[in-house]
Amino acid sequence: MQSDNQFLDLSLLKEKQITLAVKREDLLHPHISGNKYRKLKYNLKEAIAQGHDTLLTFGGAYSNHISAASVAAKNNGLKAIGVIRGEELKQKWHKNPTLKFAAENNMRFKFISRELYRNKSDRELLKGLREEFGEFYLVPEGGTNPLAIQGCEEILKQGDEEFDFVTVCVGTGGTISGLSNSLTHGQKVLGFSALKGDFLRAEIEKMTQRANWDLIHEYHFGGYGKVDEKLVTFINTFKKETEIPLDPVYTGKMMYGLLDMIKNDNFVPRTKILAIHTGGLQGVIGMNSVLQKKKLPLLDI
Ligand SMILES: Cc1ncc(COP(=O)(O)O)c(C=O)c1O
């Protein structure tokens, strides 16, 4: 399946003579959108080919991956187990829109402490989970593994060679690795890190052998999931001007950063840029309840 490129008509782009299009991967599927669709595609095929009837995966309370995996498993006749970060959620998960949605799609949960979660690839933890739930097909946190990267290699389509730069937001690095593998000669992918810290470079180097990518670290807004009034205002204005909704954890930060870089002349005139919309819009409702508690303006839905 392929998504369309939406060319943006913003005064900044005209002024700087930059062509910017957004690949609307967010429109691929109502619930398995963006990179989740790409990452789960070959994993679901593999789970079924291996004869599994259960998919087990990991995520946080507002995880786009948990939400998408619950629907993908259900649609493919698989049972789903979500191992969720934070034991405290055991009592109050039904107040969390992402977890409530996943449960409505029959996902069962196992809540574990943040400390245990940090060691989620630990053999003993996985052994315990197999004892508790029986055999399962394991999809790692964020859905990233070699089959997910293979799926992300299908994001770009014929005709996308016209772009000089592809941009994407980065969490685990799986999506940027797939894009890097599929770029043609002379193209470069810029990854906007949604996390604080410089450990992602080493992670991505394990997943792609190519040197056609770079990471931008200046637009994480204080760290993963951190949002301020400036970002909320940007996302709301961008939606009004382009009719493209962005999420506050990933795509909103990437687009903010990309337009800021264009404003600061980081790209020469006549550069063509393709920004990948990786979805994540299910997280807006959960973020709005956090913003409401902090008495900050809300994201338009
Ligand atoms: C909406 C969205 N965009 C981008 C990313 C980052 O992708 P990756 O983890 O492959 O770097 C994620 C999370 O994985 C996501 O949920």
Side-chain angles (χ1 to χ4, degrees):
M1 207 193 308
Q2 290 301 349
S3 53
D4 289 332
N5 296 340
Q6 180 176 337
F7 286 81
L8 303 190
D9 182 24
L10 302 172
S11 53
L12 172 71
L13 302 175
K14 278 199 201 93
E15 182 199 326
K16 302 287 183 186
Q17 295 180 57
I18 301 289
T19 300
L20 173 58
V22 177
K23 188 172 278 298
R24 297 297 306 271
E25 293 272 295
D26 54 314
L27 301 175
L28 279 178
H29 185 283
H31 300 299
I32 315 165
S33 86
N35 61 350
K36 303 307 167 217
Y37 180 94
R38 304 295 179 185
K39 286 177 168 189
L40 287 165
K41 177 179 166 185
Y42 291 112
N43 274 296
L44 290 162
K45 282 194 178 153
E46 184 63 15
I48 292 163
Q50 286 183 14
H52 286 283
D53 68 357
T54 304
L55 186 145
L56 179 139
T57 195
F58 292 83
Y62 296 101
S63 164
N64 297 319
H65 170 64
I66 287 291
S67 172
S70 70
V71 179
K74 186 172 125 183
N75 290 355
N76 284 273
L78 297 168
K79 289 181 255 177
I81 297 156
V83 182
I84 310 295
R85 180 179 56 225
E87 268 175 323
E88 73 283 359
L89 289 161
K90 203 173 184 168
Q91 327 306 339
K92 49 181 183 185
W93 65 264
H94 46 277
K95 289 190 193 148
N96 173 296
T98 301
L99 298 180
K100 198 163 161 268
F101 177 78
E104 281 160 10
N105 285 290
N106 307 330
M107 184 177 259
R108 288 170 65 198
F109 299 129
K110 167 86 179 168
F111 296 96
I112 62 173
S113 68
R114 278 149 216 279
E115 196 187 336
L116 258 186
Y117 192 90
R118 240 171 269 135
N119 304 319
K120 53 194 163 306
S121 0
D122 186 275
R123 271 168 191 264
E124 280 308 303
L125 175 65
L126 293 176
K127 192 166 156 242
L129 289 168
R130 288 207 156 86
E131 278 162 14
E132 187 170 346
F133 295 108
E135 268 309 311
F136 50 75
Y137 181 84
L138 175 69
V139 179
E141 183 188 39
T144 290
N145 63 9
L147 289 175
I149 295 170
Q150 187 186 335
C152 291
E153 289 169 8
E154 296 177 359
I155 293 174
L156 297 179
K157 63 180 176 186
Q158 229 184 352
D160 290 339
E161 311 85 48
E162 71 161 302
F163 295 99
D164 305 299
F165 288 93
V166 173
T167 70
V168 70
C169 34
V170 181
T172 61
T175 312
I176 193 174
S177 300
L179 287 165
S180 159
N181 291 342
S182 64
L183 290 184
T184 58
H185 187 68
Q187 288 183 302
K188 191 165 182 178
V189 57
L190 299 180
F192 288 78
S193 179
L195 292 90
K196 209 151 86 180
D198 203 14
F199 56 94
L200 273 169
R201 180 165 293 277
E203 287 303 306
I204 298 167
E205 278 167 357
K206 288 183 209 155
M207 294 186 274
T208 178
Q209 269 64 55
R210 301 185 72 186
N212 55 5
W213 58 274
D214 208 352
L215 286 178
I216 313 286
H217 290 287
E218 284 75 35
Y219 300 101
H220 53 63
F221 283 78
Y224 183 75
K226 297 262 167 42
V227 176
D228 65 13
E229 195 165 340
K230 197 167 55 174
L231 183 67
V232 173
T233 306
F234 167 76
I235 291 173
N236 288 342
T237 309
F238 185 83
K239 189 177 173 191
K240 275 196 201 95
E241 288 179 356
T242 63
E243 294 180 14
I244 301 176
L246 300 171
D247 84 291
V249 180
Y250 293 102
T251 55
K253 293 181 180 180
M254 172 195 66
M255 192 54 75
Y256 183 100
L258 178 55
L259 292 178
D260 194 52
M261 285 176 71
I262 293 173
K263 208 182 295 166
N264 294 323
D265 297 316
N266 282 271
F267 301 97
V268 295
R270 281 183 288 286
T271 301
K272 293 184 170 185
I273 306 169
L274 179 63
I276 311 298
H277 195 318
T278 45
L281 299 168
Q282 67 84 32
V284 169
I285 298 172
M287 182 58 81
N288 268 348
S289 56
V290 174
L291 292 170
Q292 199 163 22
K293 277 188 205 132
K294 291 186 176 169
K295 299 202 170 24
L296 285 171
L298 302 190
L299 294 151
D300 295 338
I301 295 187

